[in-house]
Amino acid sequence: MPTQTIGILGLGVFGTSIAKTLCKYNSNIIAVDNHESQINQLEAILTRGVIGDITDKDLLRSAGIGACDTVVIATGNNLESSVLAVLHCKALGVPKVIAKAKSKTTREVLLKIGADKVISPERETGISLAKHLLHNDTTELIELDEHVTIVEFQPPAKWIGKNLAQLKLRQNYMLNIIGYRNKYTKELNIQLSPDYIFKEDELIMAVTDNNTVDHFEEYTNRSV
């Protein structure tokens, strides 16, 4: 995978977590924040750290934001700041701009002015947690959009010892299996074949629609 240059505008908890994760994958990280302490804290992992206002187009240009493959506008507290940051990034030629938003209205505005994607971390985490609390058979729920979710779960007892071909999960359960992992080693294996046999000590990862998630126990516990 070619090395990417990622811009992060705003180094709060959200922006900092993105930067710390990206550095593990040898990405070039350009960060802009108006607090010197935030820049200094991440100095060791930043390709370039600039202290300043993310709404200042000239500052963004001099920071090298225009050379980024993707820019994440990681602060969503001020609509005007987010709007200007999106507009400036697009004007500087950034191919992909992802912005954080705290409300539906902000999301709609940012998409309309050119953001390629708008995320609401608190809302999405809250939805995921709520669904996880409702579905005890799942260990992880990741909502990709309003229609599709990745779900990780322990296979029902009725599946143990049977293979994919026998269970016909896509037809019977509307589950598209994408991998499995041992509970103890945690390593995800995506090499699946029709003769894969379900085991008690493994967790299954699948893509499904949100309606299936809402009735997950009902689907997976019915007769095979």
Side-chain angles (χ1 to χ4, degrees):
M1 180 185 295
T3 300
Q4 293 194 60
T5 299
I6 310 295
I8 303 174
L9 306 187
L11 291 175
V13 173
F14 182 55
T16 296
S17 66
I18 294 171
K20 288 182 176 179
T21 302
L22 288 173
C23 79
K24 298 177 183 178
Y25 299 93
N26 298 316
S27 298
N28 295 320
I29 306 168
I30 299 175
V32 179
D33 192 278
N34 59 2
H35 293 92
E36 183 177 1
S37 59
Q38 294 298 101
I39 297 293
N40 291 341
Q41 181 182 353
L42 299 177
E43 184 179 7
I45 66 172
L46 298 178
T47 305
R48 183 177 303 159
V50 177
I51 304 162
D53 186 350
I54 66 169
T55 68
D56 185 335
K57 185 178 179 181
D58 291 333
L59 181 138
L60 297 181
R61 181 187 289 109
S62 63
I65 290 298
C68 292
D69 299 292
T70 301
V71 170
V72 180
I73 298 165
T75 174
N77 296 326
N78 184 291
L79 176 58
E80 182 181 357
S81 295
S82 296
V83 166
L84 289 173
V86 170
L87 291 174
H88 293 337
C89 287
K90 282 300 182 181
L92 292 171
V94 178
K96 187 174 184 180
V97 177
I98 300 171
K100 176 184 174 184
K102 286 196 170 182
S103 70
K104 183 178 179 181
T105 300
T106 300
R107 173 187 173 84
E108 292 173 352
V109 169
L110 295 178
L111 287 171
K112 186 166 288 187
I113 65 168
D116 298 282
K117 184 175 182 178
V118 178
I119 59 175
S120 304
E122 292 89 352
R123 174 181 177 275
E124 291 163 12
T125 301
I127 290 172
S128 178
L129 175 59
K131 290 191 173 183
H132 177 63
L133 293 173
L134 289 170
H135 303 295
N136 294 324
D137 289 347
T138 66
T139 63
E140 189 71 55
L141 287 162
I142 303 171
E143 193 170 74
L144 298 181
D145 60 28
E146 59 184 310
H147 304 295
V148 180
T149 292
I150 293 177
V151 57
E152 184 181 68
F153 61 98
Q154 185 168 340
K158 294 178 180 179
W159 296 11
I160 304 302
K162 297 182 179 180
N163 63 35
L164 273 174
Q166 289 174 292
L167 291 173
K168 299 180 180 177
L169 296 181
R170 183 174 297 175
Q171 298 95 317
N172 295 331
Y173 301 93
M174 291 172 280
L175 291 169
N176 297 290
I177 305 298
I178 59 175
Y180 65 92
R181 63 187 176 94
N182 184 280
K183 288 182 183 179
Y184 309 105
T185 63
K186 306 294 186 182
E187 184 176 348
L188 182 66
N189 190 325
I190 59 172
Q191 302 301 321
L192 288 168
S193 62
D195 60 357
Y196 165 75
I197 296 174
F198 288 91
K199 304 173 184 66
E200 289 185 5
D201 60 352
E202 289 178 343
L203 296 171
I204 308 302
M205 188 171 288
V207 177
T208 189
D209 63 272
N210 289 344
N211 181 64
T212 299
V213 172
D214 290 341
H215 301 86
F216 193 75
E217 285 78 9
E218 175 189 336
Y219 285 142
T220 55
N221 290 319
R222 67 190 183 189
S223 298
V224 179

